């Protein structure tokens, strides 16, 4: 019986050692997986930041070109208005009359309906 007890103790120790070895191996594998996921996450964040930076630069360049174009057009309109004050007054008056007529037409079309105002 003593030999059997000693043999059981040895087998139990061997099993415990094997399980501890497997557990240590699993911990190493999990650590590797965590490192791999962290690296992929970092790469994904870096890629997203690069994409956002490129998009911002492209939008900024487009906006700058649009602003230059608008500035140029506004300058042309203001120069034309300075050179032709009578024509400018006539255009503003016509636009005002058209806006007044459009407002009156809209008011008449909503005359019989419930209003939110």
């Amino acid at each position: 019986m003593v030999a059997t007890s000693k043999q059981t103790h040895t087998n139990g120790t061997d099993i415990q050692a094997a399980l501890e070895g497997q557990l240590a191996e699993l911990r190493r594998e999990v650590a590797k997986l965590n490192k791999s996921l962290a690296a992929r996450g970092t790469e994904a964040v870096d890629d997203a930041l690069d994409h956002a930076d490129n998009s911002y630069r492209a939008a900024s360049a487009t906006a700058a070109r649009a602003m230059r174009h608008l500035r140029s057009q506004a300058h042309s309109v203001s120069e034309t208005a300075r050179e032709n004050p009578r024509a400018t007054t006539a255009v503003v008056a016509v636009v005002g009359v058209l806006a007044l007529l459009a407002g009156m037409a809209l008011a008449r079309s909503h005359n019989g309906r419930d209003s939110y105002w």
Side-chain angles (χ1 to χ4, degrees), residues 31-54:
K32 285 180 187 178
L33 287 173
N34 284 336
K35 287 180 184 178
S36 176
L37 288 174
R40 287 183 183 178
T42 302
E43 288 174 12
V45 168
D46 288 343
D47 289 346
L49 288 174
D50 287 343
H51 181 69
D53 186 48
N54 291 339

Side-chain angles (χ1 to χ4, degrees), residues 10-101:
T10 304
N11 286 340
T13 305
D14 290 343
I15 291 172
Q16 183 178 357
L19 287 175
E20 287 175 357
Q22 289 177 354
L23 184 59
E25 181 63 28
L26 284 173
R27 286 182 178 152
R28 285 191 293 272
E29 289 296 321
V30 168
K32 285 180 187 178
L33 287 173
N34 284 336
K35 287 180 184 178
S36 176
L37 288 174
R40 287 183 183 178
T42 302
E43 288 174 12
V45 168
D46 288 343
D47 289 346
L49 288 174
D50 287 343
H51 181 69
D53 186 48
N54 291 339
S55 297
Y56 174 77
R57 288 176 193 262
S60 178
T62 301
R65 283 193 303 273
M67 288 302 296
R68 282 193 301 270
H69 182 69
L70 287 173
R71 204 174 288 130
S72 171
Q73 293 296 319
H75 182 70
S76 296
V77 168
S78 67
E79 287 297 317
T80 303
R82 282 190 198 127
E83 292 172 3
N84 304 307
R86 289 183 187 162
T88 303
T89 303
V91 168
V92 169
V94 168
V95 168
V97 168
L98 290 175
L100 178 67
L101 292 173

Side-chain angles (χ1 to χ4, degrees), residues 2 9 12 64 88 92 112 114 117:
V2 176
H9 180 66
T88 303
V92 169
D114 291 338
W117 304 95

